[in-house]
Amino acid sequence: MGFMDKLLRKTVRPNDGSQEAPQRATPVDAVASQAGERDGLPDRWYVPQDGNSDRFIGATGLPTLRLIPYRDTGGEQVLRLCEDGTGLLVGPTDRRLARAGIYVSQLRGEAHHQAECRAGNFYPGEPVRLVREPENPYDRNAVAVYDATGKHMAAYVNKQKARTLAKLIDSGAEIEAISIRGTRSGLACDQVAILAASSEVLRHVLSPRPTDAPHPAHER
């Protein structure tokens, strides 16, 4: 059973391994795109830009964010970051994420690797491998993304995020990654997005939300 399947089924309450509670994953009705909305979603669901670049860094140094299951306006199951204290969603391009050690990238070039992408398992929550390609003739910072087996390539990290990840990987930093948007083996693979971080940060954002956390904004 993959991470997404487990997350949709239950949430383990901290400090009490014997208790379980259902994880809410309410489908979101399609909302027409218009000014003041992102990807068809109201701005009020997102953490605002408040000038605090360290907003997502908690007292322990770990992010105040968790990944939650979310059904987008097209009906696709994905993972999104949600702030612990407010329940607000965090946009994947929010620059404050990097300060918290989180790097999210929509991949580029899936159309050129359709057979491999379809063969691999890139379902949300599945681990993926980041492979540096310093000799890539088009981008010396290129970072290719493969499935967990290392056999099937989905595409490349976009150039902006690749610059950052390439530096981290080349410096010897241990960076792990998972898919937050994609499909299982055998299905069309049109869009893949990943989240990369240190193993400690990745474990943290994959852990259950605090039991006293407010419901995610889109479920209220």
Side-chain angles (χ1 to χ4, degrees):
M1 181 183 295
F3 168 76
M4 178 72 89
D5 300 309
K6 294 178 181 177
L7 195 57
L8 287 170
R9 289 186 61 187
K10 64 182 181 180
T11 297
V12 179
R13 293 178 178 272
N15 304 321
D16 187 353
S18 64
Q19 297 183 16
E20 296 180 354
Q23 175 74 30
R24 293 177 50 155
T26 305
V28 179
D29 293 332
V31 181
S33 296
Q34 59 186 40
E37 298 183 351
R38 310 180 210 187
D39 299 327
L41 306 180
D43 270 356
R44 67 179 182 276
W45 288 354
Y46 284 88
V47 175
Q49 294 295 330
D50 58 2
N52 180 5
S53 61
D54 292 331
R55 174 167 177 152
F56 300 144
I57 303 175
T60 64
L62 290 171
T64 55
L65 306 170
R66 299 298 200 287
L67 282 166
I68 61 169
Y70 180 95
R71 194 173 298 280
D72 70 10
T73 54
E76 183 179 3
Q77 191 73 53
V78 300
L79 292 175
R80 279 186 177 269
L81 287 164
C82 181
E83 190 173 42
D84 291 341
T86 65
L88 296 174
L89 302 177
V90 181
T93 60
D94 195 312
R95 294 184 178 181
R96 294 169 292 187
L97 289 175
R99 294 277 295 175
I102 297 172
Y103 309 94
V104 177
S105 173
Q106 176 73 45
L107 302 192
R108 295 292 181 264
E110 294 96 332
H112 301 291
H113 304 276
Q114 268 298 308
E116 288 186 79
C117 195
R118 180 187 287 266
N121 184 4
F122 297 100
Y123 192 70
E126 292 297 325
V128 296
R129 293 188 183 185
L130 304 181
V131 179
R132 279 283 286 118
E133 292 186 359
E135 304 302 322
N136 188 300
Y138 302 103
D139 182 8
R140 64 181 182 180
N141 293 317
V143 179
V145 178
Y146 288 76
D147 69 351
T149 69
K151 297 178 180 179
H152 307 296
M153 178 180 169
Y156 288 92
V157 172
N158 69 55
K159 284 191 174 183
Q160 181 180 6
K161 294 296 173 61
R163 283 195 294 270
T164 300
L165 287 175
K167 289 180 181 178
L168 289 170
I169 295 170
D170 292 349
S171 72
E174 295 186 7
I175 300 296
E176 298 182 4
I178 62 167
S179 172
I180 57 173
R181 177 187 292 273
T183 53
R184 300 187 192 277
S185 302
L187 298 177
C189 189
D190 298 323
Q191 279 192 320
V192 178
I194 65 159
L195 182 149
S198 68
S199 59
E200 182 181 25
V201 168
L202 188 57
R203 283 196 305 271
H204 179 76
V205 298
L206 286 170
S207 66
R209 299 186 72 222
T211 54
D212 60 349
H215 287 307
H218 62 284
E219 295 182 357
R220 299 172 191 169

